[in-house]
Amino acid sequence: MEYTLLILLLPFFSFLFLGICGKWLSHKTAGLVGTSVLGIVTILSYMTAYAYFTAPRGEDGTFATLLPYNFEWLPMGNLHFDLGIMLDPISVMMLIVISTVSLMVHIYSFGYMHGERGFQRYYAFLSLFTMSMLGLVVATNIFQMYMFWELVGVSSYLLIGFYFTSPAAIAASKKAFIVTRFADMFFLIGILIYGYFAGTFNFVEAGADGQVIDTMGQICGFDADAAKFIPVALGLMFIGGAGKSAMFPLHIWLPDAMEGPTPVSALIHAATMVVAGVFLIARMMPLLQSFGTIGGHTVLGIVVWVGVFTAFYAAAVACAQSDIKRVLAFSTISQIAFMMVALGVCTELPTGHHHVGSLGYMASMFHLFTHAMFKALLFLGAGCIIHAVHSNEMSAMGGLRKYMPITHITFLIACLAIAGIPPFSGFFSKDEILTACFAYSPFVGWFMTAIAAMTAFYMFRLYYGIFWGTENEELHAHHTPHEAPLVMTLPLIFLAVVTCAAGFIPFGHFVSADGQAYDIHLDWGVAGTSIVIAVCSILLATFIYIRKRQPVADSMAEKFSGLHRWAYKRFYMDEVYQYVTHRIIFAHISKPIVWFDRHIIDGFFDFLAWGANALGYRIRGLQSGAVQKYAFVFFLGILALTLMFLLA
């Protein structure tokens, strides 16, 4: 699979070409270059997946871990930093997800970004982001992953701030960059601690016989200090993953990131960047299960409860938002939390029909795959709607089903999928997550089922608010909504087809906790309950929001005005951060430090400079060039030394 190197190099060269030569290219040419390159990358990714998953399994029934490329980049004593490409089930699966969604976004952007200033720059940034994300998932070691991790952060900053003349976009890009860099600081510290005590950064090692050895699962012989610090390192790495995946309380950057172009939201905040934290936890799973215990608490246990709270918080906020992109943003946070919870409840690695403890790993990866498709569909559909009405607010919409039939049908399919209605893909992956949660703890299972019900409610609140409900006839009279052009609707149709079919993929045969083939068996006790609850939630949303007038919703908003206001304001988390950073950290910590630095530290060195200058001014007469004065001082010195010796 030597061609796998091209999967990284082609989008990188596309970025360089468009970044350097883009200003001399027309919009159409720049778009064709970026899209054609991603088309080739997608074909290569599918070729890689086909070759990998059709290859014979090993004697232990698992797919082989391959290192098509790997070389030592930077030796540091016993440690060394490598660069290469590693192929295993989850990395190959991620190649499919990233390349597919990125290609759809590239095609879609032809229509959505038509006529935008900086069109060439936009496609250059898309190529850079895609390359960075692809490099992250095929990394052979944790340090290489961190390098591409930071490249993902930089490229997302550039894409979120694409409209650099907009103050809101500038603020959103800075916010995303600062919050994720804060989390990445802990990630880096964790990597360094892990490398020091584990003696390696690699996920796998190439043995002398050419066989690949899983170092993540076979690290042993830790001393007492290592046994203490390895779990700490894993906990710090989780903080980095939580920041990238927008887990509470590091979630505040994601809703504001919707200020970027809508296709960027589909690429970064639905399918790729935000799942980097989930991918990190999945990659480190052998270590987390073997060594992830801090003070009697497991890191995976922390992952579970952080995920549970984040899922509930985001779902509650989504129920009150009026901006359609913000509803989808909080929906993304909630669904990523589902994946985190599924990984956290993975209590064992061996698979099999009776080993439900390992189900969470497969369920998380399955939901990552299905969610990427239907959430990208939702964001691209939202882009078509915004393109038609020139607004993000649901008040400018309503009754759009008769104007936008293709967008309406594809959006409905995505809503049914995320609500967990069979036979759409979201039902199968979410049911497996709920089954794993019930096996872990009935409380967690029922709580996540309730959050799934909230998901169905707010998504159909969104659906009815856009396509049914009260039509803004005054606005539509001035600008009649219309269906998006074919270049924008084709990706919607493709993703809708995938959303309908992906649930029937035998995903467990390709990705599982220990690599063994896992047959998915629906637990109809869990599945039936979740279906009934989801249908009831949809019916409730239908009862409240389908009519042109919505007296029930209005009365509830009035009766629970305080709760509604709190949910609409995201429970004032941004205000809390503003208060903590400006009123506490800046005012009471940073200002005293600045004063101490400027007056004490700078003052001390200013005093040294003044003293040296003053002393030099005073003794400059000693360097007058007069020999008589030099002789006089010389003899005075001799006299002083003589008297010292005599008196001693």
Side-chain angles (χ1 to χ4, degrees):
M1 298 185 181
E2 290 76 12
Y3 54 82
T4 52
L5 187 60
L6 294 175
I7 295 176
L8 297 184
L9 292 180
L10 286 176
F12 178 67
F13 290 144
S14 174
F15 161 69
L16 291 179
F17 177 75
L18 294 175
I20 297 172
C21 306
K23 63 180 180 180
W24 295 294
L25 303 176
S26 66
H27 287 194
K28 185 177 181 180
T29 303
L32 284 173
V33 169
T35 306
S36 300
V37 169
L38 252 296
I40 298 171
V41 170
T42 304
I43 293 171
L44 292 175
S45 297
Y46 276 78
M47 288 172 57
T48 301
Y50 180 80
Y52 183 83
F53 287 123
T54 56
R57 293 175 179 263
E59 294 181 358
D60 58 352
T62 64
F63 290 108
T65 299
L66 305 178
L67 295 175
Y69 294 94
N70 192 56
F71 65 93
E72 188 175 287
W73 173 51
L74 185 63
M76 293 184 62
N78 295 328
L79 285 172
H80 53 90
F81 301 123
D82 295 350
L83 291 177
I85 294 175
M86 185 179 75
L87 300 178
D88 69 345
I90 60 171
S91 64
V92 174
M93 181 270 295
M94 288 297 296
L95 288 180
I96 296 295
V97 171
I98 296 166
S99 60
T100 301
V101 175
S102 184
L103 179 61
M104 294 299 106
V105 168
H106 275 72
I107 297 172
Y108 181 92
S109 297
F110 261 103
Y112 190 89
M113 301 298 292
H114 178 72
E116 289 280 1
R117 182 184 176 187
F119 189 88
Q120 302 92 329
R121 172 169 54 89
Y122 171 81
Y123 269 88
F125 292 163
L126 281 184
S127 296
L128 176 63
F129 176 84
T130 305
M131 184 275 298
S132 304
M133 198 65 210
L134 291 168
L136 188 155
V137 300
V138 298
T140 62
N141 58 85
I142 190 68
F143 201 85
Q144 181 186 347
M145 179 185 284
Y146 178 76
M147 292 170 55
F148 284 99
W149 187 280
E150 294 299 326
L151 275 176
V152 167
V154 170
S155 52
S156 67
Y157 166 80
L158 296 172
L159 285 168
I160 295 168
F162 175 77
Y163 299 121
F164 59 86
T165 57
S166 168
I170 295 172
S173 62
K174 291 193 294 184
K175 188 176 186 178
F177 191 80
I178 292 170
V179 173
T180 53
R181 293 295 76 69
F182 174 77
D184 293 350
M185 174 185 67
F186 293 97
F187 187 22
L188 179 59
I189 295 172
I191 290 172
L192 296 176
I193 294 173
Y194 170 75
Y196 178 80
F197 287 101
T200 182
F201 293 112
N202 292 349
F203 301 133
V204 296
E205 298 278 2
D209 57 354
Q211 297 295 315
V212 175
I213 304 169
D214 181 7
T215 59
M216 301 281 297
Q218 298 184 14
I219 292 177
C220 58
F222 286 145
D223 56 24
D225 291 335
K228 296 177 183 177
F229 284 102
I230 289 291
V232 174
L234 296 173
L236 293 172
M237 291 182 195
F238 168 65
I239 296 176
K244 196 72 82 181
S245 291
M247 294 292 99
F248 187 92
L250 300 173
H251 67 284
I252 59 170
W253 66 270
L254 185 62
D256 289 355
M258 298 300 113
E259 294 294 337
T262 302
V264 170
S265 301
L267 178 63
I268 296 180
H269 310 121
T272 54
M273 175 180 168
V274 290
V275 300
V278 177
F279 179 83
L280 172 66
I281 301 300
R283 176 64 75 205
M284 307 296 290
M285 184 60 70
L287 282 176
L288 287 166
Q289 291 192 332
S290 301
F291 307 104
T293 302
I294 306 175
H297 301 281
T298 64
V299 176
L300 288 177
I302 297 171
V303 171
V304 170
W305 293 110
V306 169
V308 167
F309 183 82
T310 302
F312 173 74
Y313 165 84
V317 174
C319 289
Q321 299 301 302
S322 59
D323 185 315
I324 63 173
K325 288 181 69 175
R326 292 193 183 274
V327 174
L328 295 178
F330 281 101
S331 170
T332 297
I333 296 173
S334 185
Q335 295 302 303
I336 297 297
F338 265 84
M339 302 174 204
M340 284 289 191
V341 171
L343 288 174
V345 301
C346 183
T347 56
E348 56 186 9
L349 288 178
T351 60
H353 304 321
H354 302 290
H355 293 278
V356 292
S358 63
L359 178 60
Y361 182 95
M362 187 278 295
S364 178
M365 297 296 100
F366 194 14
H367 198 58
L368 188 157
F369 180 83
T370 60
H371 174 263
M373 303 304 165
F374 61 68
K375 184 53 65 70
L377 174 56
L378 286 168
F379 268 108
L380 296 183
C384 292
I385 296 162
I386 295 168
H387 187 265
V389 301
H390 304 289
S391 175
N392 291 18
E393 293 292 326
M394 283 191 280
S395 58
M397 304 167 192
L400 293 182
R401 67 188 185 281
K402 59 185 177 183
Y403 301 107
M404 308 175 70
I406 298 176
T407 304
H408 169 227
I409 296 299
T410 54
F411 200 93
L412 176 59
I413 290 172
C415 287
L416 290 169
I418 196 172
I421 302 299
F424 303 100
S425 60
F427 162 73
F428 297 93
S429 57
K430 188 172 290 185
D431 177 73
E432 296 303 313
I433 291 178
L434 294 178
T435 301
C437 289
F438 274 106
Y440 178 81
S441 165
F443 174 80
V444 174
W446 283 113
F447 201 86
M448 297 305 291
T449 302
I451 297 171
M454 294 172 67
T455 303
F457 176 81
Y458 69 67
M459 286 307 304
F460 274 84
R461 169 183 175 269
L462 177 67
Y463 165 73
Y464 287 123
I466 296 171
F467 297 103
W468 295 75
T470 305
E471 182 179 353
N472 194 324
E473 296 178 352
E474 182 180 353
L475 179 64
H476 295 177
H478 295 287
H479 180 79
T480 303
H482 57 86
E483 186 63 89
L486 186 62
V487 73
M488 294 172 66
T489 55
L490 275 178
L492 300 185
I493 296 171
F494 175 83
L495 291 170
V497 172
V498 174
T499 299
C500 293
F504 299 98
I505 297 174
F507 195 84
H509 287 199
F510 306 109
V511 178
S512 64
D514 64 352
Q516 303 279 346
Y518 188 99
D519 291 318
I520 297 175
H521 296 276
L522 292 177
D523 185 340
W524 284 106
V526 175
T529 303
S530 65
I531 292 172
V532 171
I533 292 176
V535 170
C536 291
S537 298
I538 294 172
L539 291 175
L540 179 62
T542 304
F543 173 74
I544 296 175
Y545 296 107
I546 195 172
R547 301 181 182 88
K548 289 187 176 182
R549 298 187 180 276
Q550 300 163 356
V552 177
D554 295 338
S555 64
M556 289 179 64
E558 184 178 352
K559 187 175 182 179
F560 302 100
S561 59
L563 180 61
H564 182 272
R565 183 173 63 254
W566 273 67
Y568 183 78
K569 292 291 186 179
R570 316 176 204 176
F571 294 96
Y572 295 96
M573 284 302 303
D574 285 84
E575 287 75 9
V576 170
Y577 269 96
Q578 286 288 333
Y579 181 84
V580 171
T581 54
H582 289 76
R583 298 295 182 87
I584 297 177
I585 297 176
F586 292 168
H588 296 94
I589 299 176
S590 298
K591 281 188 177 180
I593 293 174
V594 170
W595 184 91
F596 182 83
D597 180 69
R598 290 179 178 176
H599 293 83
I600 305 301
I601 303 299
D602 288 355
F604 175 72
F605 283 97
D606 289 343
F607 173 76
L608 291 179
W610 173 84
N613 186 56
L615 181 62
Y617 184 82
R618 294 287 185 271
I619 65 174
R620 63 180 181 174
L622 297 176
Q623 301 291 331
S624 63
V627 178
Q628 298 89 337
K629 290 185 177 181
Y630 295 165
F632 177 71
V633 173
F634 177 75
F635 283 112
L636 282 179
I638 292 176
L639 179 61
L641 290 172
T642 303
L643 290 173
M644 288 175 59
F645 281 113
L646 290 174
L647 294 174

